[in-house]
Structures are given as structure tokens and as C-alpha cells.
Amino acid sequence: MSGIRLDRITGSNFSYQHLPFDRFLDDMVDLGRERVELWGIAPHLHVPHVSAEEARGIRRRLAERGLAVQCLTPEQVIYPVNVASPVPWLRASSIAMFRRAAELCGELGSPMLFLTPGRGFEDEPTDAAWRRSVDAIGEIAAYAATLGLECVLEPLQRVESNLVNDAATLARMLDEIDAPNLGAALDTVAMAVAGDTVDDYFDALGDRIRHVHLVDGTPAGHLAWGDGDLPLGEILAALARRGYDGFATFELFGDGTYAFDPRPALEQCLAAVERELAARSAA
């Protein structure tokens, strides 16, 4: 049966940035995860400062616990990383960071690199920033392809980007880039904030949807399931109906308090998904 399964939900270090990396790894083992999405956050894995040797060491620490990396998601919204910037040095350094992230995917054994569109200045023509974003993401995806990697591009909320905020615009950008190894990420909060639905995403993008960030919201917030008001059961049912059986990640940020002790929020999410899946199986 298609649809998200518990064993296809990755562990992640979102909200673990104030705890040791080994604490995150041990929690993922305890929570029964087999694959993880790694957020490229300092001090765990800040892309500009991780050597190949250090990345291989991280991979060994994962393997010792029976874990593997499914996706590398460099920090690219809050940090000074912006592939669509009109400032030449910032755009160039951002592209270089993603090229380095692609190389680290190889060292980590990750098959997927996670991308976002960046943003232009608010008072410049959108077309100029759009072209910079298309060109930069195309360059990154092409380099990733030489390394055998898949990439996914995620829409952002309007407060995060003035370029790609919904499924239709994401489809337009993917069409312009036209890279076989570049797919789409569906984030349930970004989806809800834009007024989209799972069906809107699949109508626009079809089988190009290759990763899901499964989070609650009001509709914003990136909350643990049950802390917001998004319809988890409907979302899971729609993903199953549209044939999605890939990986999903709980990208938990909230108001920052999850970072005091992230594990209970993850446990809450896993329990919520398990209840919804059980209810659907019993129906």
C-alpha cells in the first residue's frame, strides 16, 4: 500500500543544535529510526567547516549505530546563504557552499541534497532575482549530478523568500531548470501557508515530489503534531492516494523551546502518525 510508513520517517537533528551530536544519534536509535536527515547546523555539521575526514567520521558514528543519512539539508534561510542574492560575493559564496555540500553528501553517504530558492531584494524586479536563482540552482544540480546525487527544491514562506512560495511556482522553476536529478520537496507548513493542498502539489508536480517535511502548524510554526491544527490524517491519506511512498521528516522548530529537550516532540510526532496510520488501516 502506498503512503508514508513509520519506517520511512527519518530521524533529524532539527532542534538538537544545543545538544551534542551523539545525544541526537542515540535518541534516533532509541526512537527506532534507521535513516536521518542531517541539518547542516553548527556545531553538528556546518558545511563550510567540515572536512572530508570529519564527514567520514560522522558517517562512521552513524554506521556504528545502524544509521544512514538520507538527506543533507544545509542551513540556507537564516545564515548568510542566498543563491539569488544580487550581491555578487554573497551569491558566489552561497553557490560554492552548496557545491561543497554536494561533495559532503558523498562523504556522508547521503543520496539527496536539499535546496531552497533564496530571495532577491524586496525593491528590485522579481524577474532578475528569479533568473539568478534558476541559474544558481541549475549549476548546483548539474554539479550534484556529476556526483550521482539527487536534489530537491522546497518552496518557502513569503517571509523567507520572494521567489518560490507555492506548488505552481515551484513547478515553473523546475521546468525552467530542467535537471533530471532535481525534484520537489513538499513541506506541509509552507503548503498550508500558501493555501495549497497535497493534491495541488501532485497536480502541479506529479512524481517530481521526492521528499516531505511533515510538520504541524497554525498554519505556520513548524510544530510537533498536536501542537498545531493542520489535518494530519487528511494529509497522510492524500499522500497515500497520490502514491507517495518516499521518506518524510519532522522539521521541528516551533518557538525555540523544542530545543531544550527535542526528544519528547519527536515522540509526540511519531505517536500521532502511528495513530493515524492505525486508524486508516482499521477503516
Side-chain angles (χ1 to χ4, degrees), residues 24 40 44 63 81 85 104 131 143 217 222 240 243 247:
F24 154 65
H44 294 177
V81 178
S85 175
L104 287 174
R131 178 47 48 195
Y143 184 62
H222 285 80
F247 287 92

Side-chain angles (χ1 to χ4, degrees), residues 188-189 192-193 214-231:
T188 51
V189 161
V193 168
L214 188 67
V215 275
D216 205 349
T218 59
H222 285 80
L223 304 175
W225 286 102
D227 291 351
D229 53 24
L230 298 187

Side-chain angles (χ1 to χ4, degrees), residues 84-169:
S85 175
V87 180
W89 71 261
L90 178 54
R91 182 170 178 272
S93 68
S94 299
I95 294 170
M97 189 278 288
F98 278 106
R99 288 172 66 96
R100 177 66 188 130
E103 295 165 356
L104 287 174
C105 281
E107 302 295 343
L108 293 164
S110 173
M112 181 175 288
L113 177 63
F114 196 98
L115 308 174
T116 57
R119 68 187 305 159
F121 282 151
E122 291 294 329
D123 62 352
E124 71 169 329
T126 302
D127 288 350
W130 177 274
R131 178 47 48 195
R132 292 193 299 266
S133 181
V134 165
D135 291 347
I137 293 168
E139 177 182 338
I140 295 162
Y143 184 62
T146 68
L147 303 176
L149 300 175
E150 293 285 321
C151 298
V152 288
L153 181 64
E154 180 192 60
L156 296 174
Q157 297 171 62
R158 178 60 183 84
V159 295
E160 300 167 323
S161 173
N162 53 8
L163 297 178
V164 180
N165 307 127
D166 56 28
T169 314

